Amino acid sequence: MQMNATIFGPEGLEITAWERDFFRDVQPFGFIVFARNIDNPSQLRRLTADLRDAVGRDAPILIDQEGGRVQRMRSPHWREFLPALDQMDRARDPLRAHWIRNRLIADDLRSVGIDVNCAPLADIAEDATHPFLQNRLYGRDVDTVVAAARVCADAHLAGGVLPVLKHIPGHGRAAVDSHLNLPTVTADRTALHAKDFAPFKALADLPMGMSAHIVFTAIDPNGPATTSPAMIDVIRTEISFDGLLMTDDLSMEALSGAVADRAQAAIAAGCDLVLHCNGDADEMQMVAESSGVMTDAAQKRGQNALLQRKSAEIVDIAALEAELETLLA
């Protein structure tokens, strides 16, 4: 089956008749859900089942459930967590606590039919990192970030959830919020490879990744990584990431032009998939047309990624909750 090179977010708490027909005809690779799509566990299980039913296959369903500020599923139905950097600073055994945190997140996700999480983050926290990102990160140096991101990915895989490595090739130097503006980094290539790109190279074996809407002037001064052929080449050849590469949300204001043009530029640059999140029907139609079907290489990467979806390993969830509480006391 040929799939469209897209991941779409539905508009509301349940799939509409229009969405059902559109998703059936277009066949996006997968879906992503946000807070607007979430009310309670029963409702969310119905929604994820209906999305898969619409396309007639076990399509991947994504979410941003990092814990802390970026957490679409919240109390009282789901667990709450500290921001990741705060937990890393506070825990007596940071990596063990980080593994437990992410294994519990995976448990929450699988229980409602979500099998892909947009984590880990391998960006390095800097003093100048914009507050929208800074305390979501795992550390301030390469070794800490690599170790924590690996633990996060392993915990998700153990819980039956695919991890998405982000934001390739590094967002830590960004001093502005890419939801609102285009960040620009002026560091030279040597500095970038030594620090920003290094965690992503160490984690290049992960099955899925997400691009950064950020300009690196030393490589391509004219366009953000998401739509830059030169930057995608760096991701594929110098960082050696050969997993399924999706864009960050096309609706973010770091990108310029109409949303259809953004989608076309990202695919032309070498991204495998475009991520469209706002649920706008008119935009989804334009993005689907501009993105086209997945290339053979993208289909192969997608199949390889989905082969890593496994049943969750059996663990004592209550014991993990108690251990995390102790580690953070």
Side-chain angles (χ1 to χ4, degrees), residues 39-88:
D39 182 41
N40 62 70
S42 296
Q43 169 270 325
L44 187 50
R45 277 190 290 270
R46 284 194 303 273
L47 177 60
T48 57
D50 287 346
L51 288 168
R52 291 187 170 108
D53 182 67
V55 293
R57 55 186 163 83
D58 188 18
I61 297 181
L62 291 72
I63 195 170
D64 287 298
Q65 188 76 355
E66 299 171 10
R69 289 186 298 108
V70 178
Q71 185 167 331
R72 314 306 184 192
M73 296 159 53
R74 308 210 76 114
S75 65
H77 299 295
W78 295 283
R79 302 173 179 95
E80 296 276 350
F81 298 92
L82 293 169
L85 192 59
D86 296 348
Q87 179 176 302
M88 290 290 291

Side-chain angles (χ1 to χ4, degrees), residues 187-226:
D188 62 33
R189 291 183 79 121
T190 300
L192 292 171
H193 278 283
K195 189 172 187 180
D196 306 63
F197 300 173
F200 295 95
K201 188 173 181 65
L203 298 158
D205 59 299
L206 292 184
M208 303 175 78
M210 178 185 290
S211 68
H213 298 335
I214 184 169
V215 168
F216 296 89
T217 60
I219 299 166
D220 183 350
N222 298 314
T226 297

Side-chain angles (χ1 to χ4, degrees), residues 136-156:
R136 296 163 53 194
L137 305 182
Y138 305 158
R140 302 168 180 86
D141 62 84
V142 172
D143 290 345
T144 299
V145 169
V146 169
R150 179 66 68 183
V151 158
C152 173
D154 289 348
H156 277 84

Side-chain angles (χ1 to χ4, degrees), residues 38-256:
I38 298 168
D39 182 41
N40 62 70
S42 296
Q43 169 270 325
L44 187 50
R45 277 190 290 270
R46 284 194 303 273
L47 177 60
T48 57
D50 287 346
L51 288 168
R52 291 187 170 108
D53 182 67
V55 293
R57 55 186 163 83
D58 188 18
I61 297 181
L62 291 72
I63 195 170
D64 287 298
Q65 188 76 355
E66 299 171 10
R69 289 186 298 108
V70 178
Q71 185 167 331
R72 314 306 184 192
M73 296 159 53
R74 308 210 76 114
S75 65
H77 299 295
W78 295 283
R79 302 173 179 95
E80 296 276 350
F81 298 92
L82 293 169
L85 192 59
D86 296 348
Q87 179 176 302
M88 290 290 291
D89 288 342
R90 176 173 170 178
R92 282 192 289 164
D93 184 341
L95 291 180
R96 175 61 180 169
H98 197 56
W99 187 92
I100 295 172
R101 166 204 186 91
N102 287 287
R103 182 62 184 83
L104 294 175
I105 288 173
D107 181 65
D108 278 341
L109 300 186
R110 279 306 295 257
S111 72
V112 291
I114 296 170
D115 56 7
V116 184
N117 194 14
C118 297
L121 288 73
D123 314 294
I124 297 174
E126 308 260 3
D127 290 342
T129 304
H130 192 278
F132 100 92
L133 181 64
Q134 189 176 66
N135 72 351
R136 296 163 53 194
L137 305 182
Y138 305 158
R140 302 168 180 86
D141 62 84
V142 172
D143 290 345
T144 299
V145 169
V146 169
R150 179 66 68 183
V151 158
C152 173
D154 289 348
H156 277 84
L157 290 167
V161 174
L162 291 178
V164 177
L165 178 65
K166 65 185 189 186
H167 306 81
I168 305 175
H171 214 298
R173 292 185 194 261
V176 300
D177 182 352
S178 56
H179 292 86
L180 305 174
N181 296 285
L182 176 60
T184 298
V185 170
T186 58
D188 62 33
R189 291 183 79 121
T190 300
L192 292 171
H193 278 283
K195 189 172 187 180
D196 306 63
F197 300 173
F200 295 95
K201 188 173 181 65
L203 298 158
D205 59 299
L206 292 184
M208 303 175 78
M210 178 185 290
S211 68
H213 298 335
I214 184 169
V215 168
F216 296 89
T217 60
I219 299 166
D220 183 350
N222 298 314
T226 297
T227 57
S228 166
M231 285 305 310
I232 301 300
D233 182 65
V234 167
I235 291 169
R236 292 301 193 193
T237 61
E238 298 178 29
I239 294 175
S240 303
F241 179 76
D242 194 38
L244 186 70
L245 183 64
M246 69 187 71
T247 71
D248 205 341
D249 182 13
L250 288 182
S251 301
M252 294 166 65
E253 294 306 314
L255 301 181
S256 60

Side-chain angles (χ1 to χ4, degrees), residues 242-317:
D242 194 38
L244 186 70
L245 183 64
M246 69 187 71
T247 71
D248 205 341
D249 182 13
L250 288 182
S251 301
M252 294 166 65
E253 294 306 314
L255 301 181
S256 60
V259 68
D261 296 334
R262 300 175 186 189
Q264 189 174 46
I267 296 297
C271 291
D272 295 317
L273 297 168
V274 298
L275 184 63
H276 181 270
C277 298
N278 67 19
D280 181 274
D282 291 338
E283 286 192 7
M284 284 196 285
Q285 289 177 301
M286 292 185 290
V287 167
E289 184 176 347
S290 295
S291 302
V293 298
M294 295 174 69
T295 66
D296 290 344
Q299 293 249 40
K300 183 176 180 181
R301 293 186 186 108
Q303 291 166 358
N304 289 340
L306 296 183
L307 285 174
Q308 296 192 44
R309 289 189 297 187
K310 307 292 184 183
S311 298
E313 297 173 6
I314 297 173
V315 293
D316 186 334
I317 292 295

